[in-house]
Amino acid sequence: MNALPTQDQFARISRGYDANPSRSLSLHKDAYVNSEWYRADLEGVFAKSWQWVCHVEKLREPGSFVTTMIADRSIAVVRDREGTLRAFYNVCKHRAHELLQGEGQTSRIMCPYHAWVYKLDGQLVRAPHTETLEDFNAGDICLDAVQVEEFCGFIYVNLDPQATALSMQSGNLETEIRHWAPDIDQLTFGHRLTYDIKSNWKNVVDNFLECYHCPTAHKDFCDLVDMDTYKVTAHGIYSSHMADAGQGANTAYDVSNATVRTHAVWWLWPTTCLMRYPGRSSMIVLNIIPAGPDRTLETYDFFLETPEPDPMELDAIRYLDEVLQVEDINLVESVQRGMETPAFSQGRIVNDPDGSGKSEHAVHHFHGLVLDAYAGLAT
């Protein structure tokens, strides 16, 4: 397969998918195991969708910057001196060296290779020893801009210059999030967990989007929330996953003193997962990062009322790290191994028309968006 799928290849990868989740098969395993389809993921999904970068607190002050990797490309996000949020390919226009590293504060962007200097709006202002060059004007050179947006207290970027604003694409998502988390802009970073998983990123998303597996694989979680109230609703480019907190004691972590009594979770296409667990006011951001056909990186960032987690939050972090993530990583790595055998090609979607948590309709919704992205690449 070439870098872009042909119409015939797209027809094969979409075979078995039906718009009706009660009639549909899952996405074909080739999308999870073949390096060619991983390239299609990078070009058709990650280079054309809104990608989470950080909480707005990291970029509030003029001169603040954050770097990230999107679709294997280095991106820098900065707040310029006038307070405008900007994003660029993190690539010098001279010899393509990366400009900024990590995150921090700066008054200018200077390339560490040959000391070309750019203003925070991306304009080149100094290029040493270029005075004798013919037809060279620093004012004609500017870093390549990338779309950037502040949305619900977080910063997102999109490499597609034609992409519609996230606030427009996402329908009522902001209204939903601000209803359940009205203080989201004021939360502060408290903790990060990181994972390196031997699985395709889509298996990780699939697993996140359904709780059909929860009674079997996550018995502690099924006490933490009231599974009878678990409801999953798909809308456009996101899905909502809502449940009340469990009423009795549980073995996950103690929520008897919780001020937030709702399990409110949103998945935003393709890989941003926003979670508000029972406890104090907080928001957990799971960012799923593709790192190869059979490798995925994850970060869990905990944004809290205070920089230091309280005892209940420390217990929640421990539960997520030592129990829930161990269970989920074992699941998705086993699925990846199974997909790499000849014994599996695709399976049935299990659908509850009433939208309960014990259903895979949100997985089906995700697969439809993946196929839409592939269709946009097919030649």
Side-chain angles (χ1 to χ4, degrees):
M1 185 171 126
N2 297 323
L4 298 179
T6 66
Q7 291 290 343
D8 286 345
Q9 288 162 336
F10 173 72
R12 284 197 297 274
I13 204 72
S14 59
R15 192 172 298 143
Y17 177 86
D18 192 286
N20 179 353
S22 291
R23 296 177 57 87
S24 186
L25 295 176
S26 63
L27 192 60
H28 194 277
K29 77 167 188 179
D30 285 354
Y32 298 80
V33 302
N34 288 359
S35 59
E36 295 89 350
W37 285 109
Y38 177 71
R39 175 53 55 185
D41 288 339
L42 294 183
E43 298 302 326
V45 176
F46 289 91
K48 293 183 178 295
S49 59
W50 287 96
Q51 298 288 307
W52 183 85
V53 177
C54 64
H55 191 277
V56 69
E57 70 174 352
K58 282 191 178 181
L59 290 164
R60 280 200 175 109
E61 299 302 319
S64 54
F65 72 90
V66 172
T67 61
T68 189
M69 294 294 292
I70 305 294
D72 287 349
R73 293 149 198 175
S74 184
I75 305 298
V77 186
V78 303
R79 182 78 68 176
D80 73 15
R81 292 186 177 185
E82 288 70 41
T84 301
L85 192 63
R86 300 181 182 275
F88 310 99
Y89 281 94
N90 189 27
V91 176
C92 183
K93 302 299 285 186
H94 174 221
R95 295 278 296 282
H97 196 283
E98 291 181 344
L99 294 164
L100 296 170
Q101 296 289 329
E103 58 189 62
Q105 283 277 335
T106 188
S107 59
R108 61 182 183 172
I109 301 171
M110 186 174 78
C111 181
Y113 197 6
H114 299 101
W116 281 34
V117 177
Y118 303 83
K119 294 194 298 183
L120 298 182
D121 64 2
Q123 178 64 54
L124 180 67
V125 292
R126 180 174 179 269
H129 311 299
T130 57
E131 297 82 0
T132 60
L133 298 185
E134 298 180 10
D135 300 321
F136 179 86
N137 181 2
D140 295 335
I141 297 175
C142 191
L143 299 179
D144 285 15
V146 168
Q147 287 207 71
V148 61
E149 186 171 343
E150 184 177 328
F151 179 78
C152 277
F154 296 104
I155 306 298
Y156 295 80
V157 298
N158 194 319
L159 305 189
D160 181 2
Q162 306 303 319
T164 305
L166 178 56
S167 59
M168 297 291 293
Q169 284 191 31
S170 57
N172 292 325
L173 178 58
E174 181 166 12
T175 300
E176 279 193 39
I177 291 175
R178 293 194 181 280
H179 171 77
W180 294 105
D183 59 348
I184 190 169
D185 303 85
Q186 307 311 315
L187 297 175
T188 189
F189 176 76
H191 192 75
R192 168 172 277 196
L193 299 171
T194 59
Y195 304 95
D196 192 332
I197 304 171
K198 298 181 182 69
S199 175
N200 184 271
W201 70 275
K202 293 185 290 298
N203 270 328
V204 177
V205 174
D206 286 350
N207 182 72
F208 182 87
L209 288 176
E210 51 93 351
C211 221
Y212 181 41
H213 70 281
C214 292
T216 306
H218 300 315
K219 297 187 185 301
D220 302 295
F221 180 81
C222 291
D223 292 330
L224 176 64
V225 304
D226 181 353
M227 288 300 295
D228 290 336
T229 66
Y230 206 118
K231 183 82 171 176
V232 179
T233 311
H235 328 251
I237 64 166
Y238 76 98
S239 56
S240 305
H241 305 244
M242 303 290 178
D244 295 336
Q247 298 302 310
N250 72 81
T251 53
Y253 63 95
D254 182 13
V255 295
S256 57
N257 295 319
T259 54
V260 172
R261 301 291 304 173
T262 302
H263 171 79
V265 172
W266 299 270
W267 167 79
L268 173 62
W269 163 261
T271 51
T272 304
C273 307
L274 306 168
M275 299 176 281
R276 191 168 170 87
Y277 274 29
R280 277 200 306 176
S281 181
S282 66
M283 188 64 75
I284 308 167
V285 180
L286 163 59
N287 191 29
I288 298 168
I289 307 161
D294 57 359
R295 184 181 178 216
T296 300
L297 306 179
E298 281 186 339
T299 58
Y300 272 81
D301 285 338
F302 294 76
F303 298 96
L304 311 172
E305 293 181 14
T306 58
E308 294 298 324
D310 70 8
M312 182 166 39
E313 288 161 347
L314 288 172
D315 273 350
I317 291 168
R318 175 204 55 78
Y319 165 66
L320 276 167
D321 186 35
E322 298 178 9
V323 180
L324 193 61
Q325 273 297 94
V326 172
E327 292 167 344
D328 275 331
I329 290 172
N330 285 338
L331 292 172
V332 299
E333 290 187 342
S334 176
V335 168
Q336 187 70 29
R337 291 192 298 270
M339 284 185 169
E340 289 169 354
T341 73
F344 180 85
S345 57
Q346 56 194 142
R348 280 298 292 263
I349 292 292
V350 175
N351 180 52
D352 175 4
D354 292 331
S356 76
K358 300 173 186 177
S359 173
E360 296 175 320
H361 58 284
V363 178
H364 175 265
H365 170 240
F366 167 55
H367 291 178
L369 292 173
V370 171
L371 291 174
D372 287 346
Y374 288 170
L377 286 178
T379 56

